[in-house]
Amino acid sequence: MKEAKAVRKHNLSMPVRIFLVVLAMVTGLLLAAPAQQTQAAVIPGDRILGVPYINQHLGLWVPAQHGYTNAWWANQHFEGSTRTLSTSGCGFACAAMAISYMRGGEVLNPVEIMNRACGFNGVAGDRDCGVKAAAKYGFRAETVTSPGKARIISEILAGHPVMVLEQKSKFGGGGGHFVLLMGYRNGKFAVYDPSNERMAWVCDQITHTWKEINDGAWRINSTAVAGEYTIFYAGNRQVKIGNDYYLQDAGGKNLTGFQYIPEQNKTCYYDPLSGKMLYGKQKIGNYWYYFDTSTGAMKTNAFVTVSGKTCYYNAKGHAVTGLKKINGKRYYFKPSNYAMVKSKFVKIPGMNRTCYFNKKGQAVTGYKKIKGHYYYFSSKVGAMRTNQFVYIASKHKTCYFNKKGRMVYGRKKINGTWYTFSKRTGALLYKG
């Protein structure tokens, strides 16, 4: 290994590896960028992650008007070694950026991270040391081979930075060097180079250096990069086995029941016996739930229509029954099958009230013509008026609605008194 300035460009020469750093949440909290960083708006095919930048020679980068902070990190010695972050720490700096982002909080000192995990073992950014460091901070890591460029892109778009060891560095000259891919936009990668003396945004410099070759490996600057990847996860991760999805903890054990997946912002349900993610309508305990047939996400505060039957699932994901007010409108769901009532009269149990629900399932109000008859429903709750005189302001008339709620016409005796109503409009003409 070369020291001082030469190392600033080359760092360590190592067997070539590419490390995918897959980020997620710790203890159910959403990922958040550190205070010094901002995260760009995320749209499909366009994502720049709020990863903190650490320069191995200068420490933590903050906006130029504030200068650098924690520059003393660069000259700290690794435990049991005379080497420092500046001379031998590009991999450790990248790992620190990744773990800090995963934690969503304070930016961590890369030397302290590695000393805490395993001490300096002679290989900067060693995969085993990175795995141990992840475990120390509540994450899990595993090694996979040859995921391919499409996988790398998908991980970035999902919010997961990718740590790459270049055998021939695009950024630091010849020799092995770690950089961190932390964004993807318009076919180009955004890169943080821990040896560069500024925050690196060099997506156009790395795109054309990735070339697929026949053996499935990757080339950077026409130098092959072996397909060995270390993936860092939070405590739990979702895996696909065959055609089914499972959620596994840090030890690889299948988790069951309701589980929140923070990086996808969804709650799913995993079968207690098989561990498989369930889809569609499911009865769990005393309640019915609905899980998206594509993603498995539990529906909440949502209408779901299946085979012509519409149900509503509340904030807890429970299918509701009876009369419910949703977004300012009243609906009725049958207790027998949870289905929304549409284009029907319903006598609401226990409320001495009859309502009519239109083709959208909404309780109507006011003066309505339904199947050839006129009815009147209260403006507040949609209760049908029966055996009542009602003044209809919009029509400038008083009408009478009988025990069936229908508007009457002609001459009628009501409570011992005769009234005459228009045979055309139902308007009260005179009494007696």
Side-chain angles (χ1 to χ4, degrees), residues 133-209:
K136 288 289 184 179
Y137 287 91
F139 300 92
R140 185 172 68 86
E142 67 173 350
T143 299
V144 296
T145 57
S146 302
K149 184 178 180 180
R151 168 74 181 279
I152 295 172
I153 294 172
S154 69
E155 295 294 356
I156 292 174
L157 296 182
H160 311 149
V162 179
M163 186 164 72
V164 182
L165 174 59
E166 306 170 280
Q167 189 175 40
K168 185 177 181 181
S169 177
K170 176 71 178 176
F171 307 101
H177 181 58
F178 283 99
V179 295
L180 190 71
L181 307 187
M182 36 64 70
Y184 185 76
R185 176 180 290 165
N186 298 327
K188 299 178 180 181
F189 292 93
V191 184
Y192 273 162
D193 172 18
S195 185
N196 199 310
E197 294 187 3
R198 60 182 176 83
M199 290 182 71
W201 169 246
V202 287
C203 59
D204 57 338
Q205 295 184 39
I206 195 167
T207 304
H208 67 275
T209 67

Side-chain angles (χ1 to χ4, degrees), residues 4-225:
K5 293 185 177 179
V7 175
R8 291 174 61 138
K9 292 186 176 181
H10 309 305
N11 293 304
L12 291 177
S13 178
M14 297 173 50
V16 179
R17 299 184 180 101
I18 295 179
F19 293 89
L20 283 184
V21 182
V22 177
L23 304 182
M25 293 194 17
V26 182
T27 63
L29 296 177
L30 292 175
L31 286 177
Q36 294 91 342
Q37 302 296 319
T38 58
Q39 182 155 338
V42 178
I43 60 175
D46 180 346
R47 189 162 191 182
I48 308 302
L49 307 182
V51 177
Y53 175 68
I54 297 174
N55 185 291
Q56 68 183 102
H57 310 298
L58 299 168
L60 173 66
W61 170 277
V62 294
Q65 62 268 31
H66 301 302
Y68 295 95
T69 62
N70 295 334
W72 55 272
W73 285 358
N75 297 318
Q76 278 190 290
H77 291 90
F78 293 106
E79 190 174 289
S81 173
T82 59
R83 291 171 177 170
T84 66
L85 180 66
S86 181
T87 63
S88 308
C90 59
F92 290 161
C94 286
M97 292 186 228
I99 294 174
S100 296
Y101 177 71
M102 288 156 67
R103 284 166 54 86
E106 179 184 1
V107 181
L108 302 173
N109 182 340
V111 177
E112 291 182 0
I113 287 178
M114 292 309 165
N115 285 345
R116 179 181 177 187
C118 54
F120 185 79
N121 62 2
V123 183
D126 178 79
R127 172 171 54 85
D128 293 334
C129 213
V131 170
K132 292 176 183 177
K136 288 289 184 179
Y137 287 91
F139 300 92
R140 185 172 68 86
E142 67 173 350
T143 299
V144 296
T145 57
S146 302
K149 184 178 180 180
R151 168 74 181 279
I152 295 172
I153 294 172
S154 69
E155 295 294 356
I156 292 174
L157 296 182
H160 311 149
V162 179
M163 186 164 72
V164 182
L165 174 59
E166 306 170 280
Q167 189 175 40
K168 185 177 181 181
S169 177
K170 176 71 178 176
F171 307 101
H177 181 58
F178 283 99
V179 295
L180 190 71
L181 307 187
M182 36 64 70
Y184 185 76
R185 176 180 290 165
N186 298 327
K188 299 178 180 181
F189 292 93
V191 184
Y192 273 162
D193 172 18
S195 185
N196 199 310
E197 294 187 3
R198 60 182 176 83
M199 290 182 71
W201 169 246
V202 287
C203 59
D204 57 338
Q205 295 184 39
I206 195 167
T207 304
H208 67 275
T209 67
W210 291 73
K211 297 179 181 179
E212 195 167 9
I213 57 177
N214 293 335
D215 61 7
W218 294 94
R219 291 187 183 277
I220 292 184
N221 285 359
S222 300
T223 302
V225 176

Side-chain angles (χ1 to χ4, degrees), residues 268-414:
C268 300
Y269 186 81
Y270 297 86
D271 184 80
L273 297 179
S274 67
K276 297 177 181 179
M277 179 190 289
L278 299 185
Y279 302 87
K281 190 174 181 179
Q282 303 288 338
K283 188 171 186 181
I284 302 169
N286 296 323
Y287 300 99
W288 284 96
Y289 300 80
Y290 192 87
F291 301 91
D292 189 276
T293 54
S294 176
T295 67
M298 182 176 74
K299 295 290 186 179
T300 59
N301 298 321
F303 293 98
V304 177
T305 301
V306 178
S307 301
K309 183 175 77 172
T310 300
C311 299
Y312 184 79
Y313 298 87
N314 64 20
K316 294 183 178 180
H318 301 166
V320 302
T321 61
L323 184 66
K324 300 296 177 183
K325 189 174 183 180
I326 303 168
N327 298 327
K329 303 292 184 180
R330 287 177 170 81
Y331 301 81
Y332 189 81
F333 302 88
K334 295 180 182 178
S336 59
N337 65 358
Y338 302 84
M340 178 194 294
V341 171
K342 299 178 182 179
S343 302
K344 288 185 178 180
F345 289 93
V346 176
K347 186 174 183 179
I348 310 300
M351 301 185 75
N352 192 29
R353 180 194 307 174
T354 296
C355 299
Y356 182 81
F357 299 89
N358 61 21
K359 63 182 180 181
K360 293 182 179 180
Q362 299 169 352
V364 300
T365 60
Y367 186 56
K368 300 294 180 183
K369 186 177 184 180
I370 302 169
K371 297 178 180 179
H373 299 280
Y374 283 97
Y375 300 82
Y376 191 87
F377 303 88
S378 69
S379 59
K380 289 185 177 181
V381 297
M384 184 176 72
R385 295 293 181 87
T386 60
N387 297 321
Q388 290 183 36
F389 287 95
V390 177
Y391 176 69
I392 304 172
S394 62
K395 301 295 182 180
H396 305 289
K397 66 180 182 179
T398 295
C399 303
Y400 185 82
F401 298 88
N402 64 20
K403 64 181 180 179
K404 292 183 177 180
R406 296 174 180 175
M407 186 174 70
V408 300
Y409 301 87
R411 190 161 174 78
K412 300 293 179 183
K413 189 175 185 180
I414 302 170

